[in-house]
């Protein structure tokens, strides 16, 4: 079959790769000059089933409320004139019960763990260099009470097979000597030894090059402007470079998916939640982190990609605005510098902001709605790099009429 993947982020490109592996003729559309130039560019690069907890938890309503009045919160909720913000927020709040948070977290963990296994299969068969680090991720806490609560929370993921080790501050410093100078700020950490990191843009671009080498078409610089339908089928798509036809289509436009889906009568509650990142060269600094870490108190994530650090923070409701200013990065930079004073050349940090395609459940959309030849693979939220590989395989399986390798109850709309 000729299959057209709409969107060239990590979700679209991994989907094109898996479809090609199944023998399909693939064409991918991306509006930017390169793939992985939007949300898939500047994220923390954590492939982290250990970070599968949904944001729609019983604590979320109070956190949202507080962020309306308090400044400098890791979460910034602002009132806006956009009615979609309110309808999305209402649906998000409806997911915040303990029962739903538990169910959604377990579904997400199932998908994330499967996705990591698919990533490993890809790596076993392909030569993809993306500054991978497989030493796990440290989720560290600054008070004993918070560490104990973190360990308690983790029992949910442990019950689903997640490996964890609880470390005191000396063990943390032994695992990563780069944190030794900041030992007093940390009480201990949960180490998920099977979590890993790597640069998602390097990975996505390398995978796109493989798809192209094998005869697939990656059409960058091509903006999708409309989808034409007849009865229960998509007949063709319109782009700024003319109309294009395929036998089947995959919608993988990240934060662009909801608007396009609306034009053909599909309601996809995907709302952008902005995040910020710094990419900082290690330069000649002697003690860069050797293992990725999440400061659970400040909600700052730090990964090492070869000769660079990637630091991310903040969840902000700012519509589709991706602008940023130096003040947006001051806090995350200070936190990182305090933790790793000799870890990077902080004066040369590159600033970036991007939009997480969030759904109320924090789970992506799969499968078909209304149209027999249009498949969804979108809405991957805050751990889309983690979930992309498995989501791509699931989508390829659904298109082939095969049963996916993990149970899809609760994942198929
Ligand atoms: C600060 C931050 C930190 C994060 N950290 C992590 C992490 O550590 N681990 C993790 O797993 N995830 C993380 N994420 C989430 C992850 O980055 C996203 O879930 C993932 O990148 C989403 O991929 P995507 O392909 O769906 O979207 P995108 O990468 O945005 O791709 C969608 C593509 O569609 C294209 N497009 C849209 N509209 C059109 C159109 N009309 N025509 C043509 N092309 C179009 C866009 O240009 C874009 O390239 C983080 C996100 C942020 C913001």
């Amino acid at each position: 079959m000729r299959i057209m993947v709409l969107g060239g982020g990590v979700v679209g490109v991994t989907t094109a790769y898996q479809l090609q592996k199944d023998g399909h003729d693939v064409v991918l559309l991306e509006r930017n000059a390169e793939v992985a130039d939007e949300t898939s560019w500047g994220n923390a690069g954590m492939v982290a089933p250990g970070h599968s907890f949904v944001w729609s938890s019983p604590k979320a309503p109070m956190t949202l409320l507080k962020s309306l009045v308090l400044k400098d919160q890791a979460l910034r909720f602002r009132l806006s004139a956009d009615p979609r913000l309110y309808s999305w927020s209402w649906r998000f709040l409806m997911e915040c019960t303990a029962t739903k948070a538990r169910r959604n977290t377990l579904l997400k963990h199932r998908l994330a763990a499967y996705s990591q296994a698919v990533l490993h299969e890809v790596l076993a068969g392909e030569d993809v260099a993306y500054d991978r680090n497989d030493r796990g991720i440290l989720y560290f806490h600054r008070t004993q009470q918070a560490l104990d609560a973190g360990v308690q929370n983790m029992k949910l993921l442990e019950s689903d097979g997640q490996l964890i080790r609880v470390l005191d501050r000396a063990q943390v410093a032994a695992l990563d000597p780069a944190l030794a100078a900041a030992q007093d700020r940390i009480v201990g950490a949960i180490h998920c030894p099977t979590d890993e990191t790597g640069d998602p843009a390097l990975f996505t671009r390398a995978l796109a090059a493989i798809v192209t080498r094998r005869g697939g078409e990656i059409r960058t610089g091509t903006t999708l402007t409309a989808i034409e339908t007849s009865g229960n089928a998509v007949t063709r798509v319109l782009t700024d470079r003319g109309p294009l036809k395929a036998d089947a289509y995959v919608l993988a436009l990240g934060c662009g998916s909801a608007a396009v889906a609306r034009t053909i009568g599909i309601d996809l509650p995907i709302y952008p939640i902005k995040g910020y990142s710094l990419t900082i060269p290690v330069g000649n600094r002697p003690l860069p982190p050797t293992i990725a870490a999440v400061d659970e108190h400040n909600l700052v994530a730090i990964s090492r990609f070869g000769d660079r650090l990637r630091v991310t923070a903040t969840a902000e409701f700012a519509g589709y605005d991706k602008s940023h200013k130096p003040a947006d990065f001051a806090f995350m930079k200070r936190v990182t510098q305090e933790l790793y004073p000799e870890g990077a050349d902080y004066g040369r940090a590159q600033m970036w902001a991007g939009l997480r395609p969030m759904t109320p459940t924090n789970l992506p959309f799969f499968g078909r709605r209304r149209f027999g030849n249009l498949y969804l693979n979108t809405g991957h939220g805050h751990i889309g790099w983690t979930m992309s590989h498995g989501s791509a395989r699931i989508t390829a399986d659904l298109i082939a009429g095969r049963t996916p390798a993990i149970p899809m109850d609760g994942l198929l709309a």
Side-chain angles (χ1 to χ4, degrees):
M1 265 204 293
R2 177 175 161 85
I3 304 182
M4 191 170 296
V5 178
L6 309 174
V10 66
V11 173
V13 172
T14 50
T15 304
Y17 171 83
Q18 293 291 347
L19 288 167
Q20 190 179 54
K21 209 168 154 198
D22 279 3
H24 297 294
D25 179 15
V26 293
V27 47
L28 178 145
L29 301 194
E30 167 55 48
R31 65 185 167 193
N32 291 309
E34 276 191 280
V35 297
D37 215 19
E38 304 237 349
T39 313
S40 300
W41 189 87
N43 68 48
M46 297 186 164
V47 175
H51 208 43
S52 292
F53 293 99
V54 290
W55 288 5
S56 39
S57 73
K59 281 189 188 154
M62 186 48 78
T63 315
L64 281 175
L65 210 60
K66 273 207 262 178
S67 78
L68 280 173
V69 283
L70 298 176
K71 278 198 164 172
D72 284 338
Q73 292 276 298
L75 177 81
R76 301 183 199 159
F77 186 76
R78 298 282 173 269
L79 301 176
S80 103
D82 180 5
R84 292 203 177 86
L85 167 65
Y86 301 103
S87 59
W88 183 90
S89 301
W90 176 251
R91 289 157 100 158
F92 176 88
L93 290 172
M94 292 296 98
E95 297 298 321
C96 290
T97 65
T99 310
K100 285 188 177 172
R102 185 187 153 81
R103 168 188 173 274
N104 292 338
T105 295
L106 285 172
L107 286 169
K108 202 160 150 208
H109 187 256
R110 180 199 295 170
L111 176 58
Y114 170 61
S115 191
Q116 191 181 19
V118 174
L119 168 65
H120 293 168
E121 275 170 34
V122 173
L123 296 178
E126 310 288 356
D127 187 13
V128 186
Y130 65 107
D131 288 331
R132 179 171 182 233
N133 178 324
D134 63 358
R135 297 193 65 216
I137 298 178
L138 283 168
Y139 299 92
F140 68 76
H141 293 272
R142 293 179 181 246
T143 66
Q144 190 59 48
Q145 199 188 6
L147 177 61
D148 294 344
V151 172
Q152 188 59 32
N153 273 347
M154 272 288 182
K155 290 195 190 309
L156 181 61
L157 302 189
E158 270 188 296
S159 74
D160 199 42
Q162 181 70 38
L163 281 183
I164 74 156
R165 294 163 61 205
V166 182
L167 308 180
D168 62 24
R169 60 160 70 100
Q171 289 168 315
V172 170
L175 191 65
D176 191 355
L179 276 168
Q183 256 188 89
D184 292 347
R185 297 174 190 273
I186 298 168
V187 153
I190 298 167
H191 179 218
C192 287
T194 51
D195 282 1
E196 56 185 287
T197 53
D199 184 331
L202 282 184
F203 178 93
T204 306
R205 288 172 186 176
L207 208 65
I210 291 171
V211 169
T212 308
R213 258 198 322 274
R214 293 180 184 156
E217 236 185 298
I218 305 281
R219 286 186 176 234
T220 51
T222 307
T223 301
L224 172 80
T225 53
I227 297 181
E228 286 190 349
T229 62
S230 170
N232 71 349
V234 170
T235 47
R236 63 178 191 168
V237 298
L238 305 184
T239 79
D240 58 349
R241 296 188 165 197
L244 293 165
K245 261 180 102 64
D247 302 306
Y249 303 80
V250 179
L251 187 72
L253 296 168
C255 285
S257 294
V260 166
R262 243 183 339 263
T263 63
I264 51 170
I266 301 175
D267 169 39
L268 291 183
I270 298 174
Y271 203 76
I273 300 193
K274 188 175 183 179
Y276 295 84
S277 79
L278 287 172
T279 306
I280 317 172
V282 169
N284 60 4
R285 304 320 301 156
L287 273 176
T290 62
I291 178 169
V294 176
D295 177 343
E296 295 280 17
H297 178 72
N298 291 308
L299 300 178
V300 173
I302 302 134
S303 294
R304 165 99 176 264
F305 299 161
D307 59 3
R308 297 159 294 144
L309 301 196
R310 173 69 52 77
V311 180
T312 68
T314 314
E316 181 177 349
F317 290 79
Y320 291 85
D321 170 26
K322 287 191 287 181
S323 65
H324 53 76
K325 53 189 185 310
D328 295 319
F329 302 87
F331 178 69
M332 66 169 90
K333 193 167 167 186
R334 196 180 74 233
V335 168
T336 311
Q337 214 160 351
E338 282 170 4
L339 290 167
Y340 306 99
E342 293 297 339
D345 188 348
Y346 292 101
R348 291 198 289 144
Q350 180 187 353
M351 295 177 281
W352 175 90
L355 306 173
R356 302 173 182 91
M358 292 295 288
T359 65
T361 57
N362 291 202
L363 295 163
F365 295 113
F366 292 114
R368 291 175 286 187
R369 302 258 186 96
R370 288 180 76 120
F371 303 102
N373 62 346
L374 175 67
Y375 292 80
L376 308 176
N377 187 9
T378 191
H380 290 72
H382 71 111
I383 59 163
W385 156 234
T386 302
M387 298 192 291
S388 58
H389 320 281
S391 301
R393 176 86 317 260
I394 285 167
T395 301
D397 286 340
L398 292 174
I399 291 176
R402 274 190 303 263
T403 305
I406 56 169
M408 292 299 289
D409 51 297
L411 288 170
L412 269 177

